Amino acid sequence: MQRTRFGDMACSIARTMDVIGEPWSPLILRNVYVGITRFEQLQESLGISRKVLTERLKWLTEQDVLARRQYSSRPPRHEYVLTERGTELCDLLLVMVRWGDRWLAGEAGPPVLYRHHACGRISHVELRCSECGDPMRATDLDVLPGPGSP
């Protein structure tokens, strides 16, 4: 099946989805973020086919989200690490975590907790305005044409 391409659309959401919109991609990023970086580890932890994992890793590397790094020369072995772009995409995943914890965790509660390095406390992500620092939600915004709009 041919994959639909969204990268040429004049929409930042569509362009981002073009990079990570395939369902395995965010899960691969999550695993690399938490330290599962080698092909065999990724394949086993996700239960993903080798073919699909190979395709996803190739795509994420081509998109400069992951980089392939050699960790052994005899025999040659590689692992995957987040690039700057990939690390910033993990911020997006943390927003997804917040939503999933709120709406889908059920009575058991969230499957994972996040401790903030700066204060040492268990916390969650909140969006804030980059200009004034106030909390920012979708209902607090007006959407205006930007310089890249058609």
Side-chain angles (χ1 to χ4, degrees):
M1 180 183 298
Q2 182 71 21
R3 183 176 181 269
T4 302
R5 294 294 313 256
F6 298 101
D8 294 331
M9 294 176 105
C11 171
S12 294
I13 294 171
R15 291 172 181 164
T16 302
M17 292 303 292
D18 194 54
V19 174
I20 63 156
E22 192 278 330
W24 286 112
S25 294
L27 301 177
I28 292 167
L29 286 177
R30 174 206 62 195
N31 280 15
V32 172
Y33 171 72
V34 300
I36 301 170
T37 60
R38 298 177 181 175
F39 186 93
E40 291 77 19
Q41 294 172 323
L42 289 164
Q43 200 259 327
E44 183 179 329
S45 70
L46 293 169
I48 186 175
S49 77
R50 295 181 70 79
K51 179 180 185 273
V52 171
L53 181 57
T54 298
E55 291 170 359
R56 292 292 85 219
L57 290 171
K58 182 177 186 278
W59 174 256
L60 292 168
T61 302
E62 288 171 355
Q63 299 304 306
D64 194 31
V65 171
L66 296 176
R68 195 169 177 245
R69 180 173 68 190
Q70 187 170 346
Y71 68 87
S72 171
S73 58
R74 288 187 165 214
R77 300 271 189 226
H78 295 86
E79 65 183 346
Y80 293 87
V81 295
L82 294 167
T83 63
E84 182 179 358
R85 288 175 74 165
T87 300
E88 194 165 321
L89 268 174
C90 289
D91 295 343
L92 172 64
L93 297 182
L94 290 173
V95 173
M96 292 172 68
V97 165
R98 168 67 188 237
W99 187 87
D101 286 353
R102 177 180 169 121
W103 296 104
L104 304 173
E107 289 184 31
V112 175
L113 300 175
Y114 296 85
R115 182 177 30 238
H116 186 225
H117 289 170
C119 70
R121 297 176 77 184
I122 302 299
S123 188
H124 58 266
V125 170
E126 289 197 8
L127 298 176
R128 300 211 168 265
C129 175
S130 64
E131 299 299 317
C132 72
D134 282 354
M136 188 169 76
R137 302 183 55 98
T139 56
D140 300 325
L141 303 173
D142 293 320
V143 180
L144 309 170
S149 69

